[in-house]
Amino acid sequence: MPTLTNPHIIAGDFNAAVFSFLKSQEGFVPRIYLDGKNVPTLGVGYALIVQNQTGQWIRRSDTQLAQQLGTMSISLTQADKDILDAAAAALNGTPVPAGIPTIAHWNAGSPDPNNTPFSFGTITEPQFQPLFNLLVDNATTTLIAKVGQPVFSALAGSNEMVALLSLTFNSPALIGSNLIRALQAGERSDAWFEIRYNTNKERTTNL
């Protein structure tokens, strides 16, 4: 099967390159905040509530949160989960129970890192790294399933792979059928066009 050739291989740690790219696009926020779509988010784009198959917003499962936040030695209290459930209810347009603390947005120009109702407060970039590595592993598995092993192997460790993983990290739906066809056919210009003009029209966060 043909695929893209002559990838731009990265010198050094690949996950660090992915982190640096995503941080440049989204920033690193040391507390849970509401992103532009009012989704509770932490670090570099880690959403704590997601959409299920019917489009309803739900808190990530207790098992998933325990596994993922556990990489940072964080354990959510029931009060923390209630806050996330309230944020999901607000996105779903359903009544929010009274007395639930709200989650503040993040203003990079006037940061307020300690303005958080959650029990664990703030995190550091080194503390976030184990979770980020886990998320990259999960995104890699998803990306391989979408584009196929030959494409993934041909682009492993490259700037092109950083771009594809950043899309998958944000939403697997951004790796669409046209982009997949271009990658598998080895059509670099078509792949660039799809990424530049036909992705991220509407971000969808998936389980």
Side-chain angles (χ1 to χ4, degrees):
M1 176 190 296
T3 186
L4 293 187
T5 58
N6 301 317
H8 299 82
I9 300 300
I10 292 170
D13 184 84
F14 178 74
N15 276 19
V18 178
F19 182 84
S20 178
F21 179 79
L22 285 169
K23 181 182 174 183
S24 72
Q25 301 299 307
E26 302 192 22
F28 174 85
V29 181
R31 65 161 171 83
I32 296 178
Y33 68 102
L34 294 183
D35 71 2
K37 293 191 175 181
N38 292 328
V39 175
T41 306
L42 177 65
V44 179
Y46 172 64
L48 288 95
I49 67 174
V50 294
Q51 284 180 294
N52 63 18
Q53 298 301 317
T54 64
Q56 291 292 297
W57 290 95
I58 59 172
R59 170 169 48 88
R60 289 184 184 270
S61 71
D62 287 345
T63 299
Q64 196 173 52
L65 287 171
Q67 177 198 27
Q68 294 173 346
L69 296 179
T71 63
M72 300 185 292
S73 299
I74 289 173
S75 178
L76 296 184
T77 65
Q78 185 56 53
D80 293 333
K81 295 174 184 178
D82 290 343
I83 295 170
L84 294 175
D85 287 339
L91 285 171
N92 291 326
T94 56
V96 175
I100 301 293
T102 58
I103 306 170
H105 287 81
W106 180 259
N107 183 353
S110 180
D112 51 352
N114 297 313
N115 184 13
T116 176
F118 291 92
S119 61
F120 64 87
T122 60
I123 63 170
T124 64
E125 287 190 27
Q127 186 180 1
F128 184 70
Q129 199 63 52
L131 173 57
F132 181 77
N133 291 338
L134 175 63
L135 297 174
V136 169
D137 288 345
N138 292 343
T140 298
T141 299
T142 300
L143 182 60
I144 292 173
K146 279 181 163 285
V147 303
Q149 187 65 55
V151 170
F152 180 83
S153 297
L155 301 179
S158 68
N159 284 326
E160 290 85 348
M161 183 56 64
V162 170
L164 293 174
L165 276 176
S166 71
L167 292 174
T168 311
F169 187 91
N170 278 289
S171 168
L174 297 178
I175 307 294
S177 57
N178 289 339
L179 176 55
I180 292 170
R181 280 195 295 270
L183 292 169
Q184 293 177 343
E187 297 292 344
R188 181 178 291 273
S189 60
D190 289 351
W192 176 88
F193 183 89
E194 288 298 321
I195 292 173
R196 177 64 179 83
Y197 293 107
N198 290 334
T199 61
N200 213 21
K201 290 180 178 178
E202 182 65 29
R203 177 175 170 178
T204 304
T205 304
N206 293 282
L207 290 172

